[in-house]
Amino acid sequence: MVGVQFGELPFLKHDYKVLSFIYSPDGESFAVGLADGTIIMYATSNWEKTWTSKCDGNEVVGFAYSPAGDQIASGSSDYTVRLWDVTTGQCRQTFIDCTCKKEKMYEPSKDCVAFSPQGDSVASGRRDYTIQLHGAKTGDSGRVLDGHTSQICKVSYSPKGDTIASSSWDIARIWDVSTGMCRYTLSGHLGLVKSIAYSPQGDLLASASSDQTVRIWDIESGKCHHILAEHSNDVEIILFSPKGNQLASGSQDETLRLWDVDAGTCIRKISCRTAVHALAFSPRGDLVASNGHDKTVQLWDANTGECRHTFIGHIKDVQRILYSPKGDHIASMSDDGIARLWDVGSGTSRIVSNSHSKAVSRLTYSPKRHQFASCSKDGTIRLWDAGTGASIHTLTGHDDDVVISFAYSPQGDQIFSCSEDNTVRLWDTESGICRHIFTGHNGWVSDVNFSPQGCQVASINEDRTVGLWNAETGASQLILTGHRARVMNAVYSPKGDQIASASEDHTVRLWNVITGTYNQNFITGTCQRTLSGHHNTVLGIAYSPNGSLIATGSRDRTVRLWIVETGECKHTLDHDALVEKVVFSPQGNILASVDVNPTVRLWDVETGNYCHALAKHGDSDSIAFSPSSNFILSTHGEVRLWDAATGEYLWPSSNVTSIFAGDWKPSTAVWIASDTDSFATGGRDRSVRVWDVIKEGGQCRVRMRWRSTGHLNVEDACVQDVEGLSHLNKRLLEQRGALRIPETDNKVATMGSVVSKFMSSLTRKGQDPSVSSDLLSGGGSLGQQAEQRRDSQQTKDRRFSMQ
């Protein structure tokens, strides 16, 4: 095991040391300051660089965003403050500290630059122990706050912006912004005041000192409310919770303490095994992150004190941590000069190179059976190899607008997509090239469908029409007009000679798509029959597999089964709420209908009799039978698997529901057309996963085959007595599912056997086993990321199968 690498954790790597970083107020941007004076701005949607600027070779030691997010202030080791345009990266203003009243020089603090809440002024601590106010828009110098007699450690505006708090050696000061006068000098600490923090309401100020105490001050009176004196060493950092009812303090005594602000009492003491220099509350205040000299970041439950995750990856001490405004990830900065990004939900370093940058909204499987596609709110469509999980192509071109829908051609060689940019695009799946762009739509195109033969595409338009297009040339063929209100849905018959369209005008129209009539400069399809009977908008529509029946669901709380040949209504099936979706089983003998109550009901198509409902169901965006008709998938914010014959809820079962906590929860799914019951899921974590449904001994088990965000997976492998395994790699393997102590089950393998088999497979394939760094990383032969680690007690009993 000596020298074996398990894939480098992802990070933002630069040529020079990272000295500072900051999120924009909306969390969409992330700025990094380097030791060579470079500022790099990243877009957090994909972690691509948006611009790079230079501060004349001087270290960038501190940042502050304007509240509107349009400017960023940087403090540099050349004692200047610069204002940058966030969009262009251009320097708008430079404030030069040219006063040298004091001979004593010191390193400027990273916390000595602050924007006012209104964004109209910037405060910066200067080397002459004063605080300079600047006009953020004009660059004009404002008031100078003079009174400190030693190095200024921190400057902070109150939430209202009417006062400024500053700290230096043994005192803190509160300044009136309008007059520049010092309201109060907060004295009492017997050592360096290392940290100060306003409460969210702005009525309190907390200060932390090397005298091992924390003090809470009243802003109006300047009096000390509480002295918190339970730490046994320097208090390095303090932070109010988002609600302001708790205060967190980190100390050199290797503890994190949570305090009741009103009572001034310690609620919880958390042992961190190392000195705590940085803290970050989650936006909801239920979690708090801490750093330490052990090169890790730890995430704690603020209510129980339990350690949720330990983030391992830095090779030197972590100096600064930040929660993203959305609370989905944490950024950390270390003495190793690297900024790392951590996924809060999974407890692992975040992969951004192999997934969508926003939530996955839809999945569709290719008829070729080796590929499927996912679309996202990031405006892209990604094509995936269903067997290996490799990303084949990323289809870009929809002007960063949400891709509403897309469809494969029956041959799988083309994809049609529609977007909020009012265009329809035709893509080649082999090359990823856009063949045609169909423009001129009067509004959104809400859906697209290929004909069964793949020669024609139907688009549902906002202008009450359905457009038919030649899939090969992109030419418009027919426009189906006649509905008196918006078309909600349109589907091809199994033979492809007919289209059924459902509308807000309470009707369903059946169209002949082979012939048409010339009418006012375009060819309109012939309406063969109008199905009338619903008393409200028709939402769902589906042909039976043999094309003899049509099922419709309506806002009038009914499902109707129609005979295509005659237009006669065969059955009317009642619901208690409006019906959104109808789906036939592959054999055509069962119909599933979904209402917003929420209820999914299964019906016998021949008799119209009610079979059963899916218990514990939530609202459903989609519902689909497996190719074998044995199972049903439903989706709405989460994915659920059901037994089609009994209606029993199968997955995720109660004992594994926790693996979908937070952004890990899948929200869309599609069955993979294969000999086995397999399906793909996508969700808010921007990843795509493929799962296999396995029936063994009358029990149903769901196992993950692969996921798009490649992480190392060593499920059920044992790391006990492995020679040459470093402490860091051992912790990494344990995070990825390895066991410390082997169990008696014969499914458990030793880590050595796993690596041995992997190396042997490389040799058989003619590859060099010594080149193992990338091959043993995520997405390699050892499989994909294990399901999210459960709480500490459940983790000991967790059992998975070897992939």
Side-chain angles (χ1 to χ4, degrees):
M1 294 294 294
V2 176
V4 170
Q5 301 296 320
F6 293 96
E8 189 177 56
L9 293 174
F11 49 81
L12 305 178
K13 191 171 184 179
H14 307 95
D15 294 332
Y16 291 86
K17 184 177 180 179
V18 177
L19 297 180
S20 56
F21 56 26
I22 192 171
Y23 278 102
S24 63
D26 60 6
E28 299 297 321
S29 300
F30 185 78
V32 174
L34 306 182
D36 69 337
T38 299
I39 298 174
I40 302 174
M41 185 68 71
Y42 292 92
T44 58
S45 60
N46 54 16
W47 293 100
E48 296 291 332
K49 295 179 183 178
T50 56
W51 54 261
T52 301
S53 295
K54 198 73 178 290
C55 290
D56 301 328
N58 293 284
E59 297 177 340
V60 180
V61 296
F63 279 126
Y65 253 100
S66 65
D70 58 338
Q71 293 185 91
I72 189 170
S74 65
S76 173
S77 59
D78 63 356
Y79 304 100
T80 65
V81 174
R82 289 176 168 85
L83 293 184
W84 306 87
D85 186 290
V86 169
T87 304
T88 65
Q90 296 296 311
C91 182
R92 289 180 176 178
Q93 307 288 344
T94 301
F95 310 131
I96 302 175
D97 179 7
C98 57
T99 59
C100 299
K101 296 179 182 178
K102 308 289 187 294
E103 295 181 359
K104 183 180 178 180
M105 304 296 289
Y106 60 89
E107 283 294 318
S109 169
K110 60 181 177 293
D111 294 317
C112 282
V113 180
F115 260 99
S116 67
Q118 295 76 24
D120 55 353
S121 64
V122 178
S124 60
R126 307 199 303 179
R127 55 183 171 175
D128 63 354
Y129 313 149
T130 65
I131 300 168
Q132 176 73 62
L133 305 186
H134 308 273
K137 302 296 183 183
T138 64
D140 296 337
S141 295
R143 298 185 184 279
V144 175
L145 313 182
D146 192 353
H148 281 290
T149 58
S150 60
Q151 173 185 344
I152 297 173
C153 299
K154 187 169 183 178
V155 174
S156 178
Y157 271 94
S158 67
K160 295 180 180 179
D162 56 340
T163 63
I164 287 175
S166 58
S167 65
S168 62
W169 171 244
D170 59 355
I171 62 171
R173 290 177 181 264
I174 298 176
W175 308 85
D176 188 301
V177 173
S178 61
T179 64
M181 301 299 294
C182 178
R183 285 190 183 181
Y184 301 107
T185 298
L186 310 180
S187 57
H189 281 297
L190 304 178
L192 177 65
V193 179
K194 294 190 170 185
S195 180
I196 54 174
Y198 274 101
S199 65
Q201 296 76 21
D203 58 336
L204 299 174
L205 183 79
S207 59
S209 171
S210 59
D211 66 2
Q212 306 177 12
T213 69
V214 175
R215 291 175 180 251
I216 299 178
W217 310 84
D218 182 86
I219 294 296
E220 288 299 319
S221 65
K223 293 182 179 179
C224 180
H225 275 341
H226 300 293
I227 300 176
L228 315 179
E230 294 188 24
H231 282 293
S232 58
N233 209 325
D234 293 10
V235 183
E236 297 288 333
I237 182 72
I238 49 174
L239 187 67
F240 278 96
S241 66
K243 293 181 180 179
N245 61 324
Q246 290 186 17
L247 181 74
S249 60
S251 169
Q252 290 275 7
D253 65 6
E254 301 185 356
T255 67
L256 159 64
R257 293 177 183 263
L258 297 176
W259 308 84
D260 184 295
V261 172
D262 291 333
T265 57
C266 182
I267 304 171
R268 191 160 290 104
K269 174 185 174 182
I270 300 173
S271 297
C272 301
R273 306 190 311 273
T274 181
V276 179
H277 289 271
L279 296 171
F281 267 106
S282 65
R284 294 191 304 176
D286 57 335
L287 301 172
V288 60
S290 67
N291 76 328
H293 288 313
D294 62 353
K295 308 165 190 174
T296 68
V297 175
Q298 291 183 291
L299 187 61
W300 308 91
D301 189 307
N303 297 316
T304 65
E306 177 192 351
C307 182
R308 290 281 190 90
H309 298 296
T310 298
F311 303 120
I312 302 173
H314 284 294
I315 59 176
K316 291 188 178 181
D317 293 347
V318 178
Q319 296 297 334
R320 194 171 178 86
I321 50 178
L322 288 174
Y323 242 103
S324 68
K326 296 178 182 178
D328 55 347
H329 56 271
I330 292 172
S332 60
M333 183 183 75
S334 163
D335 283 340
D336 59 14
I338 293 172
R340 290 185 181 270
L341 306 166
W342 309 93
D343 188 287
V344 172
S346 65
T348 58
S349 190
R350 185 163 175 247
I351 303 286
V352 299
S353 61
N354 197 32
S355 291
H356 287 287
S357 59
K358 292 185 179 180
V360 178
S361 57
R362 186 164 177 172
L363 298 167
T364 297
Y365 199 79
S366 167
K368 285 188 173 182
R369 300 192 177 190
H370 70 276
Q371 184 188 97
F372 67 94
S374 59
C375 75
S376 167
K377 294 180 180 180
D378 63 7
T380 68
I381 298 170
R382 285 182 178 261
L383 308 185
W384 308 89
D385 186 297
T388 66
S391 178
I392 302 171
H393 294 297
T394 300
L395 313 183
T396 60
H398 273 298
D399 299 332
D400 295 326
D401 286 295
V402 174
V403 178
I404 301 172
S405 182
F406 64 98
Y408 270 100
S409 66
Q411 295 76 26
D413 58 340
Q414 297 180 92
I415 282 181
F416 245 86
S417 63
C418 57
S419 166
E420 290 180 357
D421 62 7
N422 298 345
T423 68
V424 175
R425 292 174 182 258
L426 180 64
W427 309 86
D428 184 290
T429 60
E430 294 298 325
S431 64
I433 296 173
C434 180
R435 288 183 177 177
H436 301 291
I437 302 175
F438 310 112
T439 59
H441 297 285
N442 297 321
W444 286 4
V445 178
S446 60
D447 204 357
V448 288
N449 287 301
F450 266 95
S451 66
Q453 296 76 25
C455 58
Q456 192 179 72
V457 176
S459 63
I460 303 173
N461 310 322
E462 273 196 333
D463 58 3
R464 306 178 183 180
T465 68
V466 177
L468 304 184
W469 310 83
N470 185 300
E472 192 63 34
T473 65
S476 176
Q477 291 183 325
L478 296 174
I479 296 180
L480 310 182
T481 63
H483 281 294
R484 300 186 304 276
R486 184 162 62 115
V487 178
M488 304 301 294
N489 208 338
V491 293
Y492 277 94
S493 65
K495 294 181 180 179
D497 58 342
Q498 190 179 77
I499 281 180
S501 59
S503 170
E504 286 183 333
D505 65 8
H506 308 177
T507 68
V508 173
R509 289 178 178 255
L510 307 184
W511 307 85
N512 187 316
V513 296
I514 305 300
T515 63
T517 304
Y518 185 80
N519 181 18
Q520 296 181 351
N521 299 323
F522 59 85
I523 300 176
T524 181
T526 303
C527 181
Q528 295 176 311
R529 189 167 288 109
T530 300
L531 308 181
S532 300
H534 283 295
H535 305 297
N536 209 323
T537 300
V538 183
L539 298 170
I541 187 168
Y543 277 95
S544 63
N546 62 13
S548 63
L549 298 174
I550 287 178
T552 57
S554 169
R555 288 183 181 274
D556 66 6
R557 304 183 180 185
T558 67
V559 174
R560 290 177 180 256
L561 279 172
W562 309 84
I563 300 173
V564 172
E565 189 66 30
T566 64
E568 176 188 355
C569 181
K570 182 178 180 179
H571 298 298
T572 300
L573 315 175
D574 293 326
H575 269 264
D576 298 326
L578 67 89
V579 182
E580 294 184 301
K581 305 281 189 312
V582 286
V583 179
F584 282 95
S585 66
Q587 285 74 30
N589 60 324
I590 299 295
L591 179 74
S593 55
V594 186
D595 67 27
V596 296
N597 203 30
T599 305
V600 175
R601 300 189 180 192
L602 301 184
W603 311 85
D604 185 291
V605 171
E606 183 60 33
T607 65
N609 292 335
Y610 167 77
C611 298
H612 50 257
L614 304 186
K616 301 191 300 181
H617 197 276
D619 294 351
S620 180
D621 288 329
S622 67
I623 190 166
F625 284 89
S626 66
S628 66
S629 294
N630 293 329
F631 305 104
I632 292 175
L633 278 177
S634 64
T635 66
H636 181 79
E638 64 180 68
V639 176
R640 292 189 175 190
L641 180 69
W642 312 82
D643 188 303
T646 64
E648 180 187 359
Y649 172 49
L650 299 176
W651 180 86
S653 58
S654 58
N655 65 327
V656 299
T657 302
S658 62
I659 68 171
F660 297 118
D663 282 350
W664 278 64
K665 185 181 293 183
S667 57
T668 185
V670 62
W671 286 105
I672 296 176
S674 63
D675 296 334
T676 60
D677 288 312
S678 302
F679 61 95
T681 62
R684 294 190 300 271
D685 70 344
R686 307 181 267 300
S687 73
V688 175
R689 293 173 170 84
V690 169
W691 309 81
D692 295 318
V693 183
I694 303 167
K695 270 198 167 183
E696 292 178 343
Q699 299 294 318
C700 178
R701 188 162 58 92
V702 178
R703 183 183 66 183
M704 186 172 65
R705 188 193 304 173
W706 61 260
R707 62 170 290 184
S708 61
T709 49
H711 290 286
L712 176 68
N713 177 30
V714 285
E715 299 172 357
D716 273 351
C718 178
V719 296
Q720 187 183 40
D721 300 327
V722 177
E723 296 181 1
L725 184 64
S726 69
H727 175 71
L728 182 64
N729 276 340
K730 184 176 181 180
R731 293 289 300 275
L732 170 63
L733 293 173
E734 289 172 358
Q735 278 194 332
R736 298 298 187 266
L739 305 173
R740 290 190 180 185
I741 302 174
E743 302 190 26
T744 57
D745 196 318
N746 58 13
K747 291 182 181 179
V748 176
T750 65
M751 194 62 226
S753 69
V754 172
V755 175
S756 176
K757 291 178 182 178
F758 181 71
M759 294 302 184
S760 298
S761 70
L762 297 185
T763 305
R764 290 195 301 270
K765 295 176 182 178
Q767 300 178 25
D768 183 0
S770 64
V771 187
S772 58
S773 175
D774 292 331
L775 295 173
L776 281 171
S777 63
S781 298
L782 294 183
Q784 301 293 330
Q785 164 75 14
E787 299 166 334
Q788 181 185 5
R789 186 155 58 164
R790 302 174 203 157
D791 61 40
S792 59
Q793 193 143 8
Q794 289 176 321
T795 300
K796 298 177 183 178
D797 299 323
R798 188 177 56 171
R799 305 296 306 276
F800 293 105
S801 297
M802 290 295 293
Q803 296 191 13

